Amino acid sequence: MSSDSELASEVAVLQFTNILSLVIVTAVAYDYIITLPKEMHYIWNRPWTFVSAMFFIVRYVGLAVALIEGLYGSTFIPGPTQVSTVLLLASVFAFILFLAAADLMMILRVYAMYRKSRIVLGLLLVLYAATVVLYFISAVHYNNLDNLSMTTPQVLDMSFCNPTYNNTSSKIGDYKLIPRLTLAALLLTLVVARLCIDSFQTYRMTKQWKTNEYISLLAREGILYFFAHLFNNIDFGQTMTGNIITTITFIVFFILSPRFIMSIRELHDYRVNVPVQYDGIDTGFGISKGQSSSMVTASSVGFARTFVTPEGDIEMQVVEGNISSKF
């Protein structure tokens, strides 16, 4: 009787794991399909640039990692052990590449927000380098073939991959989270600080609470980015609620970065192609001084004190807000 109940419990756990795997694959695939038209329009119908390369990494490397990690541990990857080991190692190191690209894009945007301050860039890059190095060292340490063992347990007629690690006493996995979460928190702090400063300066000029649309977008995405990283590094346990929270966080984590790049370009195109009412403050990408309160078009909207946004990586241009001093 006891063995029957244990078997039933194992089957139920495996079925629940399969359901979560299907949820992840469905959500990631659905997001890819509905955003593909925007991707073609805002990314691939334009000249290849540095941001195009970063987008390819966060979109397609991230997609591959999400699918492999989402299916791992379910009956959808039953083995053999050699294939399962290769898939696991590929996803581990591809995740580092995805994380490096996603962090770098956030860093460069914050750098642009602070008028390309070398102090801001230097501080962020130090934490960024420490994060990438520690993640790589941790991946090599835990996933070398001497430490990693792969088995394929059988439950009734179902099998799944189960990686085990011989040495789990090392603390390097914990140490890597220190610069990772510090970097995410600093990015969030810098973005929110810029948003608050811009809002207060706008209010002092116009007596109206208005914010730079680009900074508002970056602040919103920055908050989501921080909490996605935070929750992705929290162990919610193996309960049903914990697994559901982990699944949701996992999905958001991989779809956020490519959506962010497309959102920035969509906002830029909207501001370039749709006339906006200029009331003497920043319209979202910086404006020229001394214009009358009238309808303005693309020639008066741009990054970095220019009147026409240049071709290429618009994300890398300086965001001209209401801050008059350099940091």
Side-chain angles (χ1 to χ4, degrees):
M1 182 67 69
S2 176
S3 60
D4 291 341
S5 61
E6 290 178 359
L7 179 61
S9 176
E10 291 177 357
V11 171
V13 169
L14 195 54
Q15 289 176 338
F16 183 64
T17 301
N18 287 345
I19 292 173
L20 292 182
S21 295
L22 288 175
V23 168
I24 291 173
V25 171
T26 302
V28 172
Y30 176 75
D31 179 77
Y32 175 79
I33 292 171
I34 64 174
T35 57
L36 185 59
K38 285 186 177 182
E39 175 185 340
M40 299 302 299
H41 178 71
Y42 294 115
I43 306 297
W44 305 126
N45 287 342
R46 303 186 181 189
W48 182 271
T49 65
F50 173 76
V51 171
S52 303
M54 292 298 100
F55 179 86
F56 179 84
I57 293 174
V58 297
R59 178 70 150 178
Y60 290 99
V61 174
L63 180 65
V65 173
L67 294 178
I68 294 174
E69 292 285 348
L71 294 175
Y72 222 86
S74 70
T75 60
F76 298 109
I77 301 182
T81 56
Q82 294 87 348
V83 174
S84 303
T85 302
V86 170
L87 288 176
L88 176 62
L89 294 177
S91 67
V92 167
F93 289 99
F95 173 75
I96 298 175
L97 181 61
F98 163 82
L99 189 64
D103 281 350
L104 185 59
M105 288 304 303
M106 287 294 295
I107 288 171
L108 292 177
R109 293 198 191 98
V110 172
Y111 170 55
M113 288 175 65
Y114 281 84
R115 297 187 176 183
K116 298 189 175 181
S117 166
R118 292 183 179 181
I119 297 176
V120 171
L121 180 63
L123 181 59
L124 292 174
L125 286 181
V126 167
L127 290 171
Y128 172 76
T131 298
V132 174
V133 169
L134 285 177
Y135 263 79
F136 182 80
I137 293 175
S138 176
V140 172
H141 175 75
Y142 284 110
N143 295 280
N144 66 79
L145 296 180
D146 293 330
N147 188 53
L148 174 65
S149 300
M150 185 68 66
T151 59
T152 54
Q154 191 85 15
V155 178
L156 296 181
D157 59 343
M158 301 178 291
S159 62
F160 60 96
C161 301
N162 181 41
T164 56
Y165 298 93
N166 302 322
N167 179 17
T168 59
S169 60
S170 176
K171 297 295 183 182
I172 191 171
D174 298 328
Y175 295 152
K176 71 180 182 180
L177 297 181
I178 297 175
R180 165 91 288 274
L181 296 180
T182 302
L183 175 61
L186 182 58
L187 287 168
L188 175 64
T189 301
L190 289 171
V191 169
V192 173
R194 175 63 195 269
L195 177 66
C196 293
I197 293 172
D198 185 76
S199 299
F200 279 116
Q201 290 192 345
T202 301
Y203 179 78
R204 197 169 58 183
M205 292 168 56
T206 66
K207 302 304 179 185
Q208 297 180 13
W209 290 105
K210 293 186 178 181
T211 58
N212 181 303
E213 290 176 273
Y214 175 76
I215 296 177
S216 297
L217 173 63
L218 185 56
R220 182 175 68 249
E221 300 291 343
I223 292 171
L224 290 173
Y225 190 78
F226 170 75
F227 282 105
H229 279 281
L230 179 63
F231 290 160
N232 196 57
N233 288 287
I234 294 177
D235 184 5
F236 292 99
Q238 296 302 312
T239 63
M240 179 178 295
T241 303
N243 286 325
I244 292 174
I245 295 174
T246 301
T247 300
I248 295 173
T249 303
F250 183 86
I251 294 170
V252 172
F253 187 75
F254 283 99
I255 69 176
L256 185 60
S257 293
R259 274 180 169 268
F260 189 20
I261 296 175
M262 290 185 286
S263 295
I264 290 176
R265 295 198 169 188
E266 183 178 23
L267 177 58
H268 167 259
D269 275 15
Y270 175 79
R271 280 309 185 193
V272 166
N273 297 317
V274 178
V276 294
Q277 181 69 35
Y278 170 49
D279 54 7
I281 63 171
D282 191 1
T283 59
F285 294 93
I287 55 175
S288 59
K289 307 295 183 181
Q291 291 188 348
S292 60
S293 180
S294 59
M295 299 298 285
V296 295
T297 56
S299 61
S300 63
V301 182
F303 283 96
R305 303 190 187 97
T306 59
F307 297 116
V308 179
T309 302
E311 292 295 328
D313 291 337
I314 60 173
E315 296 87 353
M316 299 300 103
Q317 303 298 318
V318 174
V319 179
E320 186 69 46
N322 295 318
I323 300 178
S324 58
S325 61
K326 291 187 178 181
F327 288 78

